[in-house]
Amino acid sequence: MIGNQNIAKENRQAGEKCLIFDTHTHYDDAQFDGDRTELFENIAQRGYYIVNVGASLASTRQSIALAKKYAFVHAAAGIHPTNTGELTEQSFGELAALLDGEKVVAVGEIGLDYFWEKEPGRECPREVQKYWFGRQLALAVEKNMPVIIHSRDAAEDTLLLIQQECGKARANGRQLTGVIHCFSYGKEMAKEYVNLGFYLGIGGVLTFKNARRIREVVMEIPLNYLVLETDCPYLAPEPYRGQRNCSLNLPLVVNEIAHIKEISKEEVICATTKNAKQLYRLL
């Protein structure tokens, strides 16, 4: 608890106002087409920070457009594992160019997803996913940018590839850092990522009744390795589970982290926002 208190104290001494940072959103999604402007006005009034994350070239471009339009929004550029079957050397070059855009702060979301591999219309062979995951990790090192990692039913392969790229980066005097988005594995896997210098994304799943494993992770992992996220419009917290999610629901996640760690909500917000700014190099 002392470490958590010190983080909050440092933030107050630095004069930093504690405002929520949503590290992973998809406001380009069609579910927001009817009220995106009004919702963003509400979010802006609360002073929240947002990173809108790409999953394809099209959504990456839309994310960058949102970042250009709204001062509180930044963007990430990347190809989701289930979309990697569409990648070619030409489109990969386009992605690399988009990473040089103004207010683009990360490569993501990238990774491995074996859950959908046999779903008609979404299937993508594992070897294809692994190849383009490795290419995007290497691109992040080349661009000196953090990564946003998506990993579903692919724990061992995801960790192995990240470890390999971290090793290659270190051998060349570089570094690979980032966040494991919507972290869903156990506390031992969490420790592996923390030892690599990665953050863990914590969102609405923490509030679910069956979230024992992620609760253990939040209890075990120091606060300075956790960041808040919604993955909106998905994964709304209780009592809104199953409804469209948005950044305005994050106080519910803050409450849950504060309860688990037995600290104040202010400490959670201050620490996770500081972590997010360090992650995306916005300090």
Side-chain angles (χ1 to χ4, degrees):
M1 298 304 171
I2 293 175
N4 295 334
Q5 291 170 355
N6 286 341
I7 290 171
K9 182 178 179 181
E10 289 172 4
N11 289 339
R12 287 193 295 268
Q13 288 176 342
E16 179 179 345
K17 187 177 181 181
C18 294
L19 300 169
I20 285 177
F21 197 132
D22 190 344
T23 62
H24 194 116
T25 69
H26 297 283
Y27 282 112
D28 55 289
D29 191 278
Q31 291 188 49
F32 295 107
D33 285 353
D35 63 346
R36 186 180 293 108
T37 299
E38 293 79 8
L39 181 57
F40 269 26
E41 288 176 355
N42 197 347
I43 293 171
Q45 288 173 2
R46 297 183 184 221
Y48 286 16
Y49 307 96
I50 286 171
V51 171
N52 207 75
V53 180
S56 63
L57 284 177
S59 65
T60 289
R61 293 190 182 98
Q62 291 170 330
S63 296
I64 293 172
L66 287 174
K68 289 181 178 178
K69 185 174 182 180
Y70 295 96
F72 62 93
V73 180
H74 284 77
I79 308 300
H80 188 281
T82 59
N83 292 327
T84 50
E86 304 172 3
L87 273 171
T88 64
E89 289 301 327
Q90 179 179 343
S91 57
F92 187 75
E94 294 174 17
L95 173 64
L98 288 170
L99 285 167
D100 295 329
E102 185 181 0
K103 296 183 73 179
V104 178
V105 295
V107 179
E109 66 186 281
I110 65 175
L112 301 174
D113 191 323
Y114 297 163
F115 180 83
W116 295 106
E117 63 181 330
K118 296 181 181 180
E119 183 76 11
R122 298 194 67 173
E123 69 277 8
C124 186
R126 294 187 180 190
E127 292 309 311
V128 173
Q129 291 190 39
K130 289 179 183 179
Y131 175 75
W132 289 112
F133 182 30
R135 290 286 301 275
Q136 290 183 92
L137 288 172
L139 181 60
V141 174
E142 176 188 332
K143 297 283 188 180
N144 191 30
M145 301 180 79
V147 291
I148 301 170
I149 303 297
H150 172 108
S151 181
R152 189 173 186 185
D153 292 354
E156 292 183 5
D157 285 352
T158 305
L159 178 60
L160 179 60
L161 280 169
I162 290 176
Q163 287 173 328
Q164 289 174 348
E165 291 301 326
C166 283
K168 291 177 185 177
R170 285 194 300 269
N172 291 295
R174 310 293 290 273
Q175 185 181 23
L176 177 64
T177 62
V179 56
I180 311 301
H181 148 63
C182 194
F183 189 82
S184 59
Y185 300 127
K187 58 185 179 182
E188 295 308 318
M189 185 68 72
K191 291 176 184 177
E192 292 282 354
Y193 282 115
V194 165
N195 288 338
L196 290 171
F198 276 69
Y199 294 91
L200 308 180
I202 306 298
V205 173
L206 182 65
T207 69
F208 296 174
K209 293 180 180 179
N210 60 347
R212 178 187 59 81
R213 188 160 62 168
I214 190 61
R215 286 173 180 272
E216 290 178 350
V217 168
V218 169
M219 183 178 296
E220 186 82 15
I221 299 301
L223 186 60
N224 58 331
Y225 285 100
L226 305 182
V227 295
L228 301 175
E229 64 164 64
T230 55
D231 196 25
C232 64
Y234 315 108
L235 300 177
E238 296 288 0
Y240 306 114
R241 186 174 181 178
Q243 301 179 34
R244 187 188 74 173
N245 198 9
C246 77
S247 303
L248 301 179
N249 289 332
L250 275 176
L252 294 168
V253 180
V254 170
N255 291 348
E256 200 65 31
I257 295 174
H259 174 72
I260 292 170
K261 288 195 167 291
E262 298 181 346
I263 58 177
S264 72
K265 291 181 285 187
E266 180 192 14
E267 288 173 299
V268 174
I269 295 172
C270 284
T272 55
T273 293
K274 181 179 179 181
N275 297 343
K277 289 182 177 182
Q278 289 177 331
L279 163 65
Y280 291 132
R281 301 170 189 177
L282 295 173
L283 286 174

